[in-house]
């Protein structure tokens, strides 16, 4: 829709072709709920809109919101991290219409709860003929080991999502139920954050329902599931390589829960516990974000590398609660939709207020015959599939034909495999406006809505997120197929409450300490510090090398050769101005940081990404010598920016201490290595000056020592000076300080092995003189630093 068409539409003229269904009432006029947004868009110039949209995109980029794009072309498979594909124009729904939808969703959630309770309890639905036994037994998500296992809370389902479609006539229907480990709630929050930046003026002037109250209610309900137990609340993620890992980390940070992987957990004395730096801590509630069958290799899938042995036993003993219970994926089956209308009348005594897409299971003679007679308006697919009808799979028939072509007819296929197939009505999806190339164009949409169990019943998020097709083809709705996502605004008639995540304070103020630190998270923070420092040390030596390469040209100079050999001993190829080893260190740092996204600030994450991106960009265009030296200076400034953010902004608790210890040990080891190679013994022309330069102490050395640079002055400043942040002793002091606080916080009554090793090295360095710091002594110091690292790992990180 071009601007002149929009103006005519807003003015109430006759209907215009090409207008999205969501904008129109049955008589062709605009739905009033869309008027504020459309007037806002019509009143903006193309340049202003572009700047507004760019604000939203920049927010998502800076925050690090991403999804994982899977590649299946060619001979291999893999995945790539891609920017979040925001469709900038939100979907707007009136409050009254949404209230009816929410009522239907709450009813459907309660129905699914009762079906789940029956399937894993008495089995009346199968016995009384409401569900075919084979259809349940053959479902890979129906888990026999958990049959008869009752949840401690008394409820099987706690957090659900529903895929809603809308017909062009305005009626809504359910396309799919998400009961396994529904994703998207965190992305809905991020979509809202981005849309408020795009439409910041409009958002404040309109009555758009806020999302925080929904999350506060669910958070409080999760904490309530703990009861009187001391167990923590955790979110269980498969790890950083899953599609929705960003969301897992975001939700954990937003709600204040611990983000856990199965390797963080163990079952001890029949209870689930987190392996922390201070030993096992009990878990009372676990929000599961991985598929059920992977949760326990002992009783479920023995091939699972993600599970925690004994988790099913802990649940069976009532030692914890899980959101949602294991085996809930059975409710996502397409075939179940064929039976839900009848089951609803049986279990809750009422028809479904929000119908699902018409579905027929082809394992029944009458239903199979109906599907056969109406193939032209059917989509035929696997009965056990959990995908939406529009997500075309390999074995899918549309309109009586196979999209990929096949020798067998669809009718013969149904006759042969009817019990494994369902037919679903091929409906037309309503379209919503999407801004493409400066024009509003209609695109098909599906809305994902979330429901959470609270003490007061099911709460429905006032919004959600919409999947928008990249074209008019409804099979291209998914992000993997190039689709995009949009915020969903629920527009009220009256001003809405400015809700927040905070609960009202009751009782006296209590300062709460930060939550537990899993050993895995501590380990990743420790190695994050080491990898960043390792990269910085390499950059400093590379700069010294290229400065001298520029100075001496092609002449053979012992110092240049020595610097080159030093770099190569660390894997830095001198023929590469920006060596691959440097990029590898930065990638390793990013990997460690990505595993602790819930504990890492957005600014810190952005700074680390910027550092790695800059290194990759420079590797493609710099040349040896002065050009490479300047590039290294750029990287050092960016490294300093990251370090400054960590030092100034990160809370001084357990995680920061491990990161700091990692950096300090790596810097001490690197400086000992540099001193061993270039300053432990005189004789290498220019070696002492290069060492002071690598140690970033040129100005201080000149002010402090009036004599020329000597071995003793360099050793004194870079090995034994307690006030120099580049010296070995300074770093050992720092390690001692942080480890002492770790031991104190853990309640240790005596000094551990790590503390003893640190104290012994600290004392030895504190009483040493420059003359005593020989190459042999420095080599021994490096071995002692490695022993400290091993002791810290054994004491805190194993």
């Amino acid at each position: 829709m071009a601007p002149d068409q929009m103006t005519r539409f807003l003015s109430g003229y006759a209907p215009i072709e090409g207008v999205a269904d969501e904008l129109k009432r049955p008589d062709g006029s605009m739905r009033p709920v869309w008027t504020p947004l459309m007037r806002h868009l019509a009143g903006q110039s193309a340049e202003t809109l572009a700047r507004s949209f760019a604000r939203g995109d920049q927010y998502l980029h800076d925050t690090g919101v991403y999804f994982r794009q899977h590649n299946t072309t060619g001979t291999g498979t893999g995945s790539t991290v891609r920017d979040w594909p925001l469709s900038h124009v939100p979907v707007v729904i009136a409050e009254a219409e949404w209230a009816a939808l929410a009522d239907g969703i709450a009813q459907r959630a309660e129905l699914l709860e009762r079906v789940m309770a029956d399937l894993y309890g008495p089995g009346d639905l199968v016995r009384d003929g409401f569900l075919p036994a084979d259809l349940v037994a053959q479902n890979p998500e129906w888990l026999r080991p958990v049959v008869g296992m009752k949840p401690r809370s008394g409820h099987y389902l706690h957090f659900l999502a529903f895929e809603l479609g809308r017909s062009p006539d305005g009626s809504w229907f359910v396309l799919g139920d998400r009961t396994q480990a529904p994703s998207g709630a965190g992305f809905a929050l991020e979509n809202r954050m981005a849309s408020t930046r795009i439409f910041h003026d409009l958002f404040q002037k309109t009555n758009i329902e806020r999302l925080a109250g929904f999350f506060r209610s669910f958070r409080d309900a999760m904490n309530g599931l703990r009861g009187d137990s001391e167990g923590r609340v955790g979110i269980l993620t498969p790890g950083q390589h899953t599609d929705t890992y960003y969301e897992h980390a975001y939700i954990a940070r937003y709600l204040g829960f611990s983000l856990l992987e199965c390797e963080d957990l163990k079952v001890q004395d029949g209870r689930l516990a987190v392996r922390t730096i201070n030993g096992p801590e009990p878990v009372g509630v676990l929000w599961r974000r991985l598929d059920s069958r992977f949760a326990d290799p002992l009783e479920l899938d023995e091939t699972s590398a993600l599970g925690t042995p004994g988790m099913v036993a802990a649940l069976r003993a009532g030692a914890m609660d899980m959101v949602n219970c294991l085996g809930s994926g059975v409710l996502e089956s397409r075939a179940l939709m064929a039976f839900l209308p009848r089951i609803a009348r049986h279990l809750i005594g009422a028809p479904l207020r929000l119908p699902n897409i018409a579905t027929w299971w082809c394992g029944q003679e009458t239903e199979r015959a109906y599907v056969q007679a109406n193939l032209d308006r059917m989509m035929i697919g696997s009965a056990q599939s959990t995908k939406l009808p529009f997500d075309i799979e390999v074995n899918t028939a549309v309109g009586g034909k196979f999209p990929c072509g096949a020798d067998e007819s669809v009718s013969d296929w149904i006759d042969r495999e009817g019990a494994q197939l369902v037919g679903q009505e091929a409906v037309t999806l309503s379209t919503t406006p999407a801004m493409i190339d400066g024009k509003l164009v209609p695109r098909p949409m599906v809305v994902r809505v979330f429901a959470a169990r609270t003490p007061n019943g099911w709460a429905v998020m006032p919004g959600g997120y919409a999947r928008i097709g990249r074209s008019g083809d409804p099979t291209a709705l998914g992000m993997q197929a190039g689709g995009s996502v949009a915020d969903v605004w629920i527009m009220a008639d009256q001003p809405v409450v400015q809700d927040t995540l905070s609960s009202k304070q009751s009782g006296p103020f209590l300062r709460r300490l930060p939550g537990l630190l899993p050993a895995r998270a501590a380990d990743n923070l420790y190695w994050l510090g080491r990898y960043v420092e390792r990269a910085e040390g390499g950059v400093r030596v590379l700069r010294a090398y290229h400065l001298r390469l520029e100075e001496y040209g092609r002449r053979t100079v012992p110092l240049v050769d020595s610097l080159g050999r030093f770099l190569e001993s660390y894997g830095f190829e001198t023929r590469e101005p920006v060596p691959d080893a440097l990029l590898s260190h930065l990638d390793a740092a990013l990997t460690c940081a990505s595993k602790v996204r819930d504990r890492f600030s957005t600014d810190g994450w952005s700074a680390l990404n910027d550092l790695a991106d800059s290194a990759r960009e420079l590797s493609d265009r710099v040349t040896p010598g002065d050009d490479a030296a300047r590039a290294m200076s750029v990287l050092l400034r960016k490294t300093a920016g990251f370090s400054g953010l960590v030092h100034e902004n990160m809370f001084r608790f357990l995680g920061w201490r491990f990161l700091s210890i990692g950096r300090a040990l790596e810097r001490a080891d690197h400086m000992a290595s540099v001193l061993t190679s270039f300053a432990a013994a005189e004789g290498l022309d220019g070696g002492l000056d290069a060492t002071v330069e690598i140690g970033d102490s040129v100005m201080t050395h000149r002010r402090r020592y009036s004599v020329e640079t000597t071995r003793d002055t360099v050793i004194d400043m870079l090995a034994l000076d307690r006030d120099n942040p580049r010296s070995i002793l300074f770093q050992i002091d720092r390690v001692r300080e942080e480890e002492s606080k770790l031991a104190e916080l853990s309640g240790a009554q005596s000094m551990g092995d790590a503390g003893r090793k640190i104290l012994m090295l600290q004392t030895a360095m504190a009483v040493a003189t420059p003359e005593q710091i020989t190459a042999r002594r420095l080599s021994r110091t490096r071995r002692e630093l490695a022993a400290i690292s091993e002791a810290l790992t054994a004491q805190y990180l194993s």
Side-chain angles (χ1 to χ4, degrees):
M1 186 163 53
D4 60 332
Q5 290 179 303
M6 189 188 298
T7 301
R8 289 170 56 202
F9 196 21
L10 287 165
S11 300
Y13 286 96
I16 300 170
E17 293 184 6
V19 174
D21 300 321
E22 287 298 303
L23 294 179
K24 299 182 295 183
R25 292 189 291 198
D27 63 2
S29 61
M30 176 174 284
R31 295 181 192 271
V33 72
W34 281 89
T35 302
L37 177 59
M38 291 296 106
R39 289 194 185 281
H40 176 81
L41 293 173
Q44 306 293 312
S45 67
E47 293 76 13
T48 301
L49 278 178
R51 287 196 297 270
S52 297
F53 293 164
R55 279 199 302 269
D57 293 337
Q58 190 62 50
Y59 165 79
L60 294 170
H61 177 77
D62 291 345
T63 309
V65 186
Y66 71 89
F67 77 103
R68 194 169 290 279
Q69 176 80 53
H70 296 288
N71 308 315
T72 56
T73 58
T75 57
T77 60
S79 62
T80 306
V81 170
R82 305 294 296 272
D83 288 339
W84 188 244
L86 180 69
S87 182
H88 304 98
V89 179
V91 174
V92 187
I93 302 174
E95 179 186 34
E97 183 177 18
W98 186 259
L101 280 175
D103 188 44
I105 289 166
Q107 183 208 45
R108 192 177 185 90
E110 188 56 35
L111 173 62
L112 292 173
E113 165 71 26
R114 296 190 187 187
V115 173
M116 177 81 175
D118 180 80
L119 290 178
Y120 288 98
D124 293 339
L125 291 175
V126 171
R127 187 188 63 239
D128 297 340
F130 288 93
L131 276 174
D134 289 349
L135 200 61
V136 176
Q138 293 176 12
N139 191 317
E141 296 300 334
W142 186 69
L143 304 180
R144 189 178 297 275
V146 301
V147 172
M149 190 171 72
K150 296 183 179 180
R152 186 175 69 175
S153 67
H155 297 292
Y156 290 83
L157 303 177
H158 306 83
F159 194 88
L160 305 175
F162 302 91
E163 306 282 3
L164 304 185
R166 189 177 197 174
S167 296
D169 65 6
S171 60
W172 290 90
F173 48 87
V174 177
L175 289 163
D177 302 301
R178 297 292 175 247
T179 56
Q180 170 82 270
S183 63
F187 290 131
L189 271 174
E190 288 289 35
N191 289 342
R192 176 58 54 86
M193 297 296 291
S195 68
T196 56
R197 282 160 172 76
I198 295 170
F199 302 103
H200 54 91
D201 293 334
L202 178 65
F203 198 86
Q204 298 303 321
K205 293 185 293 185
T206 50
N207 304 322
I208 302 169
E209 295 279 2
R210 303 316 198 245
L211 305 181
F214 170 81
F215 285 98
R216 184 187 66 249
S217 297
F218 181 57
R219 181 200 61 191
D220 293 347
M222 291 268 284
N223 284 323
L225 289 176
R226 297 166 55 192
D228 297 329
S229 71
E230 298 178 356
R232 306 289 185 118
V233 178
I235 298 178
L236 181 62
T237 175
Q240 62 171 333
H241 296 298
T242 192
D243 294 9
T244 53
Y245 176 72
Y246 171 83
E247 188 213 3
H248 302 170
Y250 179 81
I251 284 288
R253 186 166 58 237
Y254 184 70
L255 297 180
F257 297 147
S258 298
L259 185 65
L260 306 172
E261 296 184 23
C262 281
E263 67 178 90
D264 294 327
L265 302 170
K266 69 175 181 178
V267 175
Q268 186 175 40
D269 299 326
R271 301 192 64 183
L272 191 68
V274 184
R275 306 172 194 267
T276 77
I277 61 170
N278 298 323
E281 293 283 347
V283 176
V285 182
L286 203 59
W287 184 2
R288 175 177 58 84
R289 302 302 300 272
L290 81 166
D291 289 353
S292 299
R293 64 183 182 276
F294 299 132
D296 186 345
L298 280 183
E299 297 199 48
L300 302 177
D301 185 347
E302 63 182 13
T303 66
S304 173
L306 300 174
T308 300
M311 185 178 289
V312 170
L315 286 166
R316 189 178 290 120
M320 55 174 288
D321 263 314
M322 179 172 281
V323 178
N324 293 316
C325 284
L326 295 176
S328 57
V330 69
L331 302 177
E332 295 187 358
S333 165
R334 280 179 182 170
L336 182 63
M337 286 188 167
F339 303 92
L340 278 182
R342 182 171 174 237
I343 291 174
R345 289 189 290 271
H346 172 67
L347 290 182
I348 61 179
L352 289 172
R353 295 174 192 149
L354 185 59
N356 50 241
I357 185 173
T359 305
W360 296 267
W361 178 51
C362 298
Q364 296 167 301
E365 184 176 350
T366 302
E367 285 74 10
R368 181 169 62 253
Y370 180 85
V371 171
Q372 292 273 31
N374 295 274
L375 287 178
D376 59 332
R377 59 187 187 90
M378 291 281 177
M379 300 184 72
I380 316 296
S382 169
Q384 303 294 2
S385 174
T386 62
K387 292 183 178 293
L388 297 186
F390 306 105
D391 294 333
I392 303 298
E393 299 177 276
V394 175
N395 291 324
T396 302
V398 182
K401 299 178 181 178
F402 290 107
C404 57
D407 296 334
E408 184 180 33
S409 71
V410 175
S411 182
D412 290 343
W413 179 45
I414 295 174
D415 286 337
R416 179 170 52 85
E417 297 187 20
Q420 309 302 322
L421 302 173
V422 292
Q424 293 185 296
E425 185 178 7
V427 297
T428 301
L429 289 176
S430 173
T431 56
T432 192
M435 187 70 76
I436 298 176
D437 297 329
K439 291 184 179 181
L440 284 178
V441 295
R443 290 291 182 262
M445 72 160 190
V446 169
V447 176
R448 177 170 286 199
V449 184
F450 303 91
R453 181 183 294 282
T454 73
N456 299 319
W458 288 97
V460 178
M461 181 192 292
Y465 77 84
R467 293 201 290 166
I468 311 297
R470 64 176 176 179
S471 65
D473 181 4
T475 64
L477 281 166
M479 289 184 292
Q480 299 294 336
S484 56
V485 294
D487 192 10
V488 177
W489 291 0
I490 308 305
M491 193 80 73
D493 296 328
Q494 302 295 325
V496 298
V497 176
Q498 302 297 310
D499 217 339
T500 69
L501 193 65
S502 302
S503 300
K504 291 184 178 180
Q505 180 73 33
S506 59
F509 171 77
L510 294 175
R511 172 175 288 173
R512 299 187 183 276
L513 294 175
L516 57 81
L517 180 64
R520 176 190 55 84
D523 186 57
N524 279 290
L525 287 165
Y526 171 79
W527 281 102
L528 169 61
R530 296 208 69 150
Y531 281 125
V532 170
E533 189 61 37
R534 192 170 296 178
E536 180 182 342
V539 167
R540 290 188 177 279
V541 180
L542 280 166
R543 184 172 66 171
Y545 171 80
H546 284 287
L547 284 173
R548 283 152 185 81
L549 195 65
E550 180 72 19
E551 178 181 356
Y552 297 115
R554 296 184 178 274
R555 286 183 293 159
T556 300
V557 177
L559 177 58
V560 175
D561 292 343
S562 183
L563 286 166
R565 288 193 297 273
F566 181 88
L567 287 167
E568 289 174 357
S569 71
Y570 278 85
F572 290 76
E573 292 289 341
T574 55
R575 63 175 178 272
E576 301 170 353
V578 182
D580 288 342
L582 174 60
L583 302 180
S584 296
H585 292 331
L586 293 174
D587 287 342
L590 275 172
T591 298
C592 291
S594 69
K595 292 179 179 179
V596 288
R597 282 296 300 272
D598 59 314
R599 300 172 183 273
F600 211 63
S601 74
T602 297
D603 288 337
W605 174 255
S606 296
L608 187 56
N609 269 283
D610 182 48
L611 172 60
D613 289 343
S614 297
R616 280 189 286 270
E617 291 171 6
L618 290 170
S619 67
D620 294 331
R621 56 185 175 84
V622 300
T623 56
D626 186 61
D627 190 35
R630 288 199 302 271
M632 294 305 110
S633 295
V634 170
L635 295 181
L636 284 175
R637 289 193 292 272
K638 289 182 179 290
T639 305
F642 168 78
S643 301
L645 282 169
V646 169
H647 183 75
E648 295 297 329
N649 298 340
M650 199 169 175
F651 187 78
R652 297 314 198 254
F653 203 61
L654 300 174
W656 180 84
R657 301 194 190 286
F658 280 100
L659 190 151
S660 298
I661 288 173
R663 291 201 69 188
L665 284 175
E666 190 66 37
R667 181 172 291 188
D669 179 76
H670 184 262
M671 183 50 63
S673 180
V674 170
L675 289 171
T676 301
S677 299
F678 305 112
E682 296 186 27
L684 181 64
D685 189 24
L688 295 175
D689 291 329
T691 302
V692 175
E693 179 185 315
I694 293 169
D696 199 22
S697 300
V698 174
M699 292 178 59
T700 304
H701 187 275
R702 288 174 181 170
R703 285 198 303 267
R704 177 171 295 183
Y705 304 105
S706 57
V707 298
E708 64 179 9
T709 305
T710 67
R711 175 197 175 280
D712 287 348
T713 62
V714 172
I715 294 292
D716 183 56
M717 173 160 284
L718 295 177
L720 305 177
D721 194 330
R722 274 200 152 117
D723 295 323
N724 183 6
R726 292 284 164 184
S727 80
I728 297 172
L729 183 55
F730 181 96
Q731 302 305 325
I732 296 171
D733 286 347
R734 189 175 185 187
V735 173
R736 172 79 195 288
E737 178 183 3
E738 301 305 338
E739 196 281 331
S740 296
K741 290 177 180 175
L742 289 175
E744 178 183 344
L745 290 169
S746 70
Q749 300 299 312
S750 59
M751 184 177 291
D753 185 47
R756 285 191 292 271
K757 284 180 166 58
I758 296 167
L759 179 59
M760 291 170 64
L761 179 57
Q762 181 189 40
T763 303
M765 293 296 291
V767 300
T769 63
E771 295 84 358
Q772 295 172 327
I773 306 300
T774 61
R776 178 176 294 181
R777 177 69 176 272
L778 287 167
S779 295
R780 188 177 73 196
T781 298
R782 295 189 68 191
R783 291 193 297 272
E784 291 168 340
L785 289 169
I788 290 171
S789 179
E790 292 173 0
L792 287 167
T793 299
Q795 187 168 331
Y796 296 106
L797 307 179
S798 295

